[in-house]
Amino acid sequence: MTTRKRIALAVTASVAATLTPKTVAALQEIGDVALVCTRKSKYFFDSTTLRVPQWNDDTEWTGAREGARYKKDQDIPHITIGDTADILVVAPLCANALTKFAVGLCDDLVSCLFYAWPQEKPVVVAPAMNTRMWENPLTERHLRTLTSQGVVVVPPVSKQLACGTSGMGAMADIADIVRVAARMLAT
């Protein structure tokens, strides 16, 4: 009997986050999905409709409440998610998160998860941002940094963006992201 693969889907604050329910459903075809969201990404979709384990900046410290403090041996989500998942898929990867990943800034659950991700496990990212952001030389530099660390990039596509302009920057087709993730899980 084959054990289903475990997929950590990280979602960052791009308009493409509106596709999160479809991304979750598509990834569920190849494995069990856990959702990790930045606070700002949740502006774009209703996470309460998704029946998958979820973590976000507000729930990172499970059971945390006003005045609560860390207790020895409690769950550390940005570590335990990496311990239990087989792959990290970041879709969409916004320009802000890309920059954090490239320079090692860890100020939210998703960036901490990326930074603490086990080096032997695959990471797939699907950038999604405005054309001007995509064409900024910093974007290319940051992507080179990630790819030099073994991160697999599913490049964006050109189409009419939410801002009304047409150009490169829309998140890749979900089927393409799933195909790359499945290939990485098979190796």
Side-chain angles (χ1 to χ4, degrees):
M1 179 182 225
T2 305
T3 304
R4 279 181 58 85
K5 297 294 185 173
R6 295 169 312 249
I7 303 163
L9 172 62
V11 179
T12 67
S14 164
V15 174
T18 59
L19 299 171
T20 298
K22 290 179 182 178
T23 305
V24 167
L27 286 169
Q28 286 176 318
E29 296 295 319
I30 65 168
D32 296 326
V33 178
L35 187 62
V36 185
C37 303
T38 63
R39 182 176 287 121
K40 291 180 180 179
S41 73
K42 292 178 71 178
Y43 173 76
F44 297 102
F45 69 100
D46 181 2
S47 64
T48 64
T49 64
L50 301 173
R51 302 290 176 237
V52 295
Q54 297 182 38
W55 291 270
N56 61 60
D57 297 329
D58 297 324
T59 62
E60 179 177 8
W61 304 110
T62 55
R65 61 190 186 293
E66 188 68 34
R69 296 289 178 256
Y70 169 80
K71 291 184 177 41
K72 186 175 177 17
D73 298 325
Q74 80 178 49
D75 183 46
I76 309 292
H78 62 270
I79 302 299
T80 56
I81 294 167
D83 288 345
T84 58
D86 298 302
I87 188 171
L88 174 60
V89 176
V90 185
L93 173 65
C94 68
N96 185 55
L98 169 61
T99 301
K100 289 179 184 185
F101 291 3
V103 301
L105 180 62
C106 301
D107 67 348
D108 60 21
L109 177 56
V110 169
S111 58
C112 287
L113 175 61
F114 178 84
Y115 202 77
W117 190 256
Q119 295 298 305
E120 69 277 6
K121 293 183 180 183
V123 176
V124 174
V125 299
M129 60 195 73
N130 177 272
T131 302
R132 288 187 299 223
M133 297 168 92
W134 177 252
E135 292 174 348
N136 187 302
L138 289 171
T139 300
E140 182 180 347
R141 182 184 315 162
H142 292 154
L143 286 170
R144 263 196 321 268
T145 298
L146 296 190
T147 58
S148 73
Q149 296 169 4
V151 173
V152 175
V153 177
V154 183
V157 297
S158 181
K159 68 180 220 175
Q160 184 166 357
L161 304 176
C163 62
T165 62
S166 291
M168 188 62 74
M171 188 173 78
D173 186 73
I174 293 169
D176 292 334
I177 298 166
V178 172
R179 209 172 357 268
V180 170
R183 187 179 74 235
M184 298 305 298
L185 284 169
T187 59

